Amino acid sequence: MNKKFHIHKGDLVKVTAGVDKGKEGKVIKVLTKKDRALVEGVNIVSKHIKPSPTNPQGGIVKAEAAIHVSNLMVIDSKGNVTRVGRRRDKDGKLERYSKKSNEAIKS
């Protein structure tokens, strides 16, 4: 089953709920099976890393954790948070567009 999300990799998004509410960032990865996304600089957690050949010291590393897609909204080219619609462009291809400004969204 292919899920369709309003969030795609590379989109600029704003967090609408949670501890990081109001923060903006770029989507690094979308986890479709868990309905979550990794966003740059949002939902930072401390991970304990075991020593390994590449990292002999080990230690604690700060990294982004996944955030649910329902807590994210896309930012359009004008800088507004917007809902996303789908429509056919002139070539007949499906494109995403901003419901607020009616412009195509480029990821």
Side-chain angles (χ1 to χ4, degrees):
M1 180 174 116
N2 289 338
K3 291 184 182 178
K4 293 196 174 17
F5 290 111
H6 64 285
I7 305 286
H8 287 179
K9 181 179 176 180
D11 284 349
L12 190 63
V13 294
K14 186 171 190 172
V15 181
T16 59
V19 177
D20 293 320
K21 182 177 180 177
K23 287 188 179 178
E24 297 178 4
K26 190 175 175 184
V27 175
I28 302 168
K29 187 176 185 179
V30 178
L31 308 167
T32 55
K33 290 184 180 174
K34 295 183 179 181
D35 295 343
R36 293 178 170 268
L38 287 173
V39 182
E40 219 170 62
V42 174
N43 200 17
I44 303 293
V45 295
S46 298
K47 293 181 78 169
H48 292 72
I49 306 296
K50 286 175 73 173
S52 66
T54 57
N55 186 5
Q57 188 65 30
I60 301 171
V61 176
K62 300 275 186 188
E64 289 97 357
I67 187 168
H68 200 273
V69 293
S70 67
N71 297 330
L72 301 173
M73 281 193 84
V74 176
I75 299 174
D76 64 6
S77 59
K78 294 184 178 178
N80 301 322
V81 285
T82 181
R83 288 179 295 140
V84 177
R86 296 167 195 268
R87 65 180 175 204
R88 300 276 174 192
D89 62 2
K90 294 171 186 131
D91 302 330
K93 290 186 180 178
L94 203 61
E95 72 173 359
R96 298 183 311 143
Y97 72 98
S98 163
K99 292 250 184 161
K100 201 171 263 187
S101 66
N102 208 24
E103 291 182 357
I105 297 174
K106 309 275 193 285
S107 14

